[in-house]
Each structure stands twice: as structure tokens, then as C-alpha cells.
């Protein structure tokens, strides 16, 4: 099964949609370099919860991109791995984040938990109703892809450009 890059978030709440916007950018990039989509499953998880169960089950590698309230400066990136991810999401308020926590718990119970799980979180500048990212988070997007490449390299997987 291919490694999964999953973007989650609500695009109607400004920076809350950063994960979805990131995978949309990856999908456009995959059109230009098809080998990337041959190697990875790129999924827009939106605000799905338990619907992602089959998508996440039995993966060797899962990288989630999402907005996180981590007490950082707007646009700052937080990277969490493996057991840090469900612990972090268990403290969240956002409905889709609770859904992801539930999915991860269910996968643990069924012994289908991803072998390697990583969250690339971006501190939002605004969660107000608005379509589109704030300028601050938009400017952080290149750094999200740098972090993604770094994580793929750590996992021994091909990067975005190879």
C-alpha cells in the first residue's frame, strides 16, 4: 500500500483549511510530475472523521497536514510523530480533529494503526468564516512542503521533487 499524505480541515474557516489547501497543491504538482502520484496516495480528508478509517488502515506511512492550536506564532509549524499525534488531538476542540482521534483509536483497537504516523501542523492566524488562507499562513505553505520533504527523507521515501 502506498504511503498516504492526508490533508484535513474546513476550508470555510480560513486557516482551518490549510491541510486541504496543501493536498490540493500536491495534487496539482502530481499532474505535472505523475511519478509522485504513482508513489503516494494524496487525499483531501476535509472534515471527515470515521469515514477515513479504511483510508488510514494498515498503512506503513501516514503524513497528516492540518491546522493546530499549539500556542505558537501564526504560520509556525509543529511536527508530531506516532503516539504524540492522538494525544495532541485528544485535547482539541475542532470536530474533525476529534474525528481523527476517534479513527486512530479505532485503528489501534483493530490492530490496523499506521506503522509511521506524522502530523505537520500549522498554527492558524484566523479561524473566522472565510474562504481562503490568511496571508500569514499562505506564506507558510512553502515551509510546509520543506517539512514534508524532510519527513519523507527521514522515512527513506522519495521526496516531492524525485
Amino acid at each position: 500500500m502506498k504511503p498516504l499524505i492526508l490533508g484535513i480541515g474546513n476550508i470555510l474557516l480560513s486557516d482551518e483549511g490549510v491541510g486541504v489547501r496543501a493536498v490540493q497543491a500536491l495534487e496539482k504538482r502530481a499532474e505535472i510530475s505523475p511519478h509522485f502520484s504513482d508513489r503516494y496516495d494524496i487525499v483531501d480528508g476535509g472534515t471527515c472523521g470515521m469515514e477515513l478509517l479504511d483510508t488510514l488502515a494498515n498503512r506503513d506511512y501516514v503524513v497528516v497536514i492540518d491546522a493546530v492550536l499549539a500556542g505558537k506564532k501564526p504560520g509556525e509549524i509543529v511536527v508530531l510523530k506516532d503516539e504524540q499525534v492522538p494525544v495532541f488531538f485528544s485535547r482539541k476542540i475542532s470536530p474533525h480533529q476529534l474525528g481523527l482521534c476517534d479513527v486512530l483509536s479505532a485503528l489501534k483497537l483493530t490492530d490496523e494503526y499506521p506503522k509511521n504516523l506524522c502530523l505537520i501542523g500549522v498554527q492558524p492566524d484566523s479561524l473566522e468564516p472565510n474562504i481562503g488562507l490568511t496571508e500569514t499562513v499562505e506564506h507558510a505553505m512553502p515551509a510546509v512542503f520543506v517539512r514534508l520533504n524532510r519527513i519523507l527523507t527521514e522515512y527513506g521515501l522519495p521526496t516531492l521533487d524525485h
Side-chain angles (χ1 to χ4, degrees):
M1 191 175 295
K2 292 191 262 184
L4 172 66
I5 300 172
L6 173 68
I8 55 177
N10 186 337
I11 61 169
L12 302 177
L13 298 176
S14 193
D15 295 336
E16 166 65 9
V18 67
V20 172
R21 299 299 185 200
V23 296
Q24 288 172 344
L26 287 175
E27 287 169 341
K28 285 181 186 168
R29 188 180 284 195
E31 290 172 12
I32 297 167
S33 49
H35 68 275
F36 187 73
S37 57
D38 290 342
R39 295 178 178 150
Y40 294 94
D41 287 330
I42 304 167
V43 175
D44 172 351
T47 57
C48 297
M50 294 304 280
E51 296 92 352
L52 293 171
L53 200 60
D54 288 338
T55 303
L56 289 162
N58 293 314
R59 296 277 182 166
D60 286 335
Y61 301 97
V62 174
V63 179
V64 179
I65 304 171
D66 192 14
V68 295
L69 297 174
K72 304 290 184 184
K73 287 188 250 177
E76 199 168 331
I77 297 171
V78 176
V79 175
L80 301 171
K81 292 189 176 175
D82 301 318
E83 294 304 318
Q84 296 173 321
V85 176
V87 169
F88 184 81
F89 277 139
S90 68
R91 301 180 307 208
K92 303 319 289 172
I93 299 167
S94 175
H96 75 266
Q97 291 176 336
L98 290 175
L100 182 62
C101 185
D102 293 339
V103 170
L104 293 172
S105 295
L107 292 172
K108 188 73 90 176
L109 288 172
T110 59
D111 204 27
E112 296 174 299
Y113 197 82
K115 287 183 179 66
N116 297 279
L117 175 64
C118 182
L119 167 71
I120 300 172
V122 181
Q123 177 75 37
D125 191 16
S126 172
L127 298 175
E128 295 298 315
N130 186 43
I131 295 177
L133 301 174
T134 62
E135 192 174 313
T136 303
V137 170
E138 189 69 49
H139 287 306
M141 290 297 274
V144 169
F145 298 122
V146 167
R147 288 290 176 98
L148 177 58
N149 267 336
R150 194 175 300 154
I151 290 158
L152 297 176
T153 300
E154 287 173 16
Y155 287 152
L157 298 170
T159 60
L160 300 176
D161 304 318
H162 295 98

